């Protein structure tokens, strides 16, 4: 059984927000997942779509190179997808009376794994 992964690192969103969109496509066919991501209103859906397209391309390349066979994109399913927390940027925001508030800008590492249907 063929598997391929793709990771998009340092995406400017929190891992929790990315996880909400990843829950929509987990276990779906790759073509269905792409159409779901295309019409999802969250801004992180665009980054996840890019990662999914990369994973599909990786699977086609591995099948072509290593196994000497053609792989159709319709025969792929999203086997797993998750978002891990990346490094956070710490910034300072001015506050009243000369104080400063800390602003944490979070990042995430998005991983999508596709596999062949059984």
């Amino acid at each position: 059984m063929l598997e391929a992964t793709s990771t998009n690192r340092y995406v400017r969103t929190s891992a929790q927000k990315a996880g909400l969109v990843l829950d929509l496509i987990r276990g779906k066919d790759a073509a269905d997942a792409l159409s779901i991501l295309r019409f999802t209103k969250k801004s992180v859906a665009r980054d996840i779509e890019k990662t999914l397209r990369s994973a599909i391309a990786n699977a086609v390349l591995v099948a072509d190179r290593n196994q000497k066979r053609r792989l159709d994109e319709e025969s792929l399913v999203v086997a797993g997808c998750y978002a891990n927390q990346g490094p956070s940027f710490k910034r300072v925001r001015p506050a009243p009376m000369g104080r400063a508030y800390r602003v944490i800008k979070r990042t995430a590492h998005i991983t999508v794994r596709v596999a062949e249907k059984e």
Side-chain angles (χ1 to χ4, degrees), residues 82-95:
Y82 54 90
N84 291 330
Q85 186 175 348
S88 299
F89 301 129
K90 278 97 173 171
R91 298 293 182 258
V92 174
R93 180 172 174 234

Side-chain angles (χ1 to χ4, degrees), residues 54-117:
S54 177
I56 292 170
N58 290 343
V60 170
L61 184 72
V62 166
D64 192 32
R65 258 195 206 158
N66 296 348
Q67 299 179 355
K68 305 289 187 208
R69 64 186 176 105
R70 301 288 292 166
L71 182 68
D72 200 17
E73 293 181 10
E74 284 81 32
S75 65
L76 291 174
V77 66
V78 179
C81 52
Y82 54 90
N84 291 330
Q85 186 175 348
S88 299
F89 301 129
K90 278 97 173 171
R91 298 293 182 258
V92 174
R93 180 172 174 234
M97 298 175 66
R99 296 190 189 96
Y101 294 148
R102 177 172 275 189
V103 176
I104 299 175
K105 298 179 180 247
R106 300 186 185 275
T107 62
H109 301 320
I110 299 170
T111 303
V112 177
R113 192 173 84 242
V114 294
E116 210 171 3
K117 286 182 192 174

Side-chain angles (χ1 to χ4, degrees), residues 14-67:
S14 68
Q16 184 177 5
K17 289 178 184 177
L20 292 173
V21 179
L22 288 170
D23 289 340
L24 296 174
I25 65 167
R26 189 174 294 118
K28 300 268 193 322
D29 292 340
D32 293 341
L34 285 173
S35 62
I36 288 170
L37 289 173
R38 183 139 183 102
F39 294 106
T40 302
K41 290 192 175 193
K42 298 271 188 187
S43 63
V44 72
R46 196 171 294 142
D47 295 315
I48 295 173
E49 182 183 357
K50 178 179 157 184
T51 310
L52 179 58
R53 286 188 191 277
S54 177
I56 292 170
N58 290 343
V60 170
L61 184 72
V62 166
D64 192 32
R65 258 195 206 158
N66 296 348
Q67 299 179 355

